[in-house]
Amino acid sequence: MSAGRPGRRGSAPAPAAVRGPRGRGHLLVPLYVHPAVDPGAWEAAVRAAGRLYAVVVNAADGPGPRPDPALAAAAARLRGAGVPLLGYVDTAYGARPPRAVLRDVRRHRRWYGADGAFLDRAAAGAEHLPRYRRTVRAARLLGASTVVLNPGVHPDPGYARLADVLVTFEGRWEEYRRAGVPAWTRGHPPHRFCHLVYAVPDRLAAEAARTAHERGAAVHCAVPGEGANPWRSTPRPVLGCGRITP
């Protein structure tokens, strides 16, 4: 997933909980760990179904070259619990051929029953808007009811009109604490934005949720993981280690 970008709030009271788009929960969980490696993480997501906006399914930086039976079974359990699934698709900042991107969207739907698409490493510049507009439209025609774009930063404002949810931050907690929010985001409802934060100490998970809410992002995820794949870890609230209301 793409790399992203005050003040501590101490014991300030948490604002009221918000709901994600279409009445869903507000946690978007990139679950980038195989169910055979960490079955507990997948089971925890099933138990937290009502509080999840969606789970991103990622076999191998995409759907992989062939169906994975174990992943398909775990995905079916999530679907049975009512959790929307988004298939991970790398767009290489607009450099990946549209045919390859849409092939992955199709495979996620066919192999894992994905409801939508998580278009990662999305471009942020205005010059790529036409390409992403066509890609999002084609993904919807293939059956993706939800499309999430992840540039990981605040892109050109035009991107906010393309997808259901726009990930405007992905990065470490220390960067997130210092990050700003451009004025144009206030012209859109909070459920159109998501912040993905990693390297969040357990004791600060609730503060990360409050920060997302205060910065106008009704969808978020905060995990303690670090390294090349911080999304091998899951948000502590999903594991029952804290509240998930912001």
Side-chain angles (χ1 to χ4, degrees), residues 185-196:
T185 61
R186 293 195 291 271
H188 300 273
H191 67 247
R192 301 297 298 277
F193 297 110
C194 173
H195 296 166
L196 300 176

Side-chain angles (χ1 to χ4, degrees), residues 81-157:
V83 178
L85 303 182
L86 305 178
Y88 176 94
V89 180
D90 183 11
T91 70
Y93 305 108
R96 194 167 180 226
R99 179 176 298 181
V101 169
L102 296 173
R103 179 195 63 208
D104 282 358
V105 172
R106 190 179 296 110
R107 285 180 173 179
H108 274 299
R109 283 192 53 75
R110 184 185 306 138
W111 296 349
Y112 306 116
D115 306 278
F118 183 89
L119 303 182
D120 195 32
R121 299 208 301 161
E127 68 276 14
H128 293 288
L129 274 168
R131 173 185 287 260
Y132 280 91
R133 186 176 296 111
R134 291 191 296 269
T135 299
V136 170
R137 184 180 301 123
R140 295 196 193 282
L141 290 174
L142 289 174
S145 60
T146 299
V147 178
V148 175
L149 278 178
N150 180 23
V153 297
H154 284 95
D156 181 272

Side-chain angles (χ1 to χ4, degrees), residues 59-81:
D61 290 334
R66 62 189 61 84
D68 181 323
L71 189 62
R77 279 187 49 75
L78 283 173
R79 289 200 317 275

Side-chain angles (χ1 to χ4, degrees), residues 152-237:
V153 297
H154 284 95
D156 181 272
Y159 285 89
R161 296 189 291 272
L162 302 186
D164 298 281
V165 174
L166 186 64
V167 179
T168 54
F169 181 90
E170 183 186 347
R172 296 176 57 85
W173 166 245
E174 287 303 321
E175 299 171 33
Y176 188 54
R177 293 180 63 219
R178 300 189 298 268
V181 180
W184 66 260
T185 61
R186 293 195 291 271
H188 300 273
H191 67 247
R192 301 297 298 277
F193 297 110
C194 173
H195 296 166
L196 300 176
V197 191
Y198 55 86
V200 180
D202 289 348
R203 70 184 187 282
L204 297 178
E207 182 176 344
R210 284 196 302 270
T211 301
H213 179 55
E214 291 165 4
R215 292 178 180 172
V219 185
H220 83 285
C221 188
V223 300
E226 299 191 58
N229 180 16
W231 307 108
R232 290 174 61 88
S233 62
T234 54
R236 286 294 178 250

